[in-house]
Amino acid sequence: MINNLVDILNNTKKQNPLIHHITNYVTVNDCANVTLAVGASPAMADDEAEVEEFVDIASALLINIGTLNKDIKNSIIKACKRANEKGVPVILDPVGVGASKFRKDFVNELFETSKISCIRGNISEIKSILNLSSNKKGADASKEDLESIDNTLNIAKELANKLGLVVAITGEIDVISDGKKVIAIKNGNHLLPYITGTGCMCSSLVASYCGASKDKIYEATILGVITMGIAGEIAYENSNNKGLGTFHKELFNAISNFNQEILIKKANYQEIK
């Protein structure tokens, strides 16, 4: 596994893949910057009139429904259709999917009309897609939805098999499955949930690596999640308890300085099966 992750990390910097984001306006700047930090290039085009042209030159398409509206909905449908035609992997971040019928219905429509390569969300979002959650908290995971690690592994594998894609459930312990293989990742830091957009940024990292490794979506997703987790650990060490502002700054420093030596030394994961 580690050799695959190293190859994807280095290939991303060499290839400089263009990652087309249709994302939310709350975290768009941070998502663009983490994409740049790992060697990819961000495009943040969401108007229906031009999304197909951007998909044509993109290596991956990231869909984030954090600030979904009717116009963005149409752009997403159009972009996903074009991406499927061009063989461009589509990564979905279903932000707050359980918070409203509008979001839930749209995500269901997306699964019916488009091929999604990977979905990354918290436990509440993933359980909502499986109709196992009634969380109305918004973008954050609810305590009521927290599961044992064994149950989380089973949920990830179930959704991956049901939809035919890679599922990443991020939380205190991150779980990723392609429907056959399952991995648990123990990197991370307790401050990450207190920075708005760390989940969105993680999805941008996943998309960046997927754009450089279209034939290794599972491994690219693992690397994206591990990158954010390790960066959180390093940021905490370097922020010296100065507060969230310093932690946020150090998080970007850690992502921009991330390399294969740090990956090999600090990656903490267990391949379950």
Side-chain angles (χ1 to χ4, degrees), residues 79-101:
C80 286
K81 181 180 179 181
R82 189 60 157 247
N84 290 166
E85 292 171 353
K86 294 288 185 177
V88 174
V90 179
I91 293 80
L92 173 64
D93 190 332
V95 179
V97 63
S100 72
K101 185 176 184 299

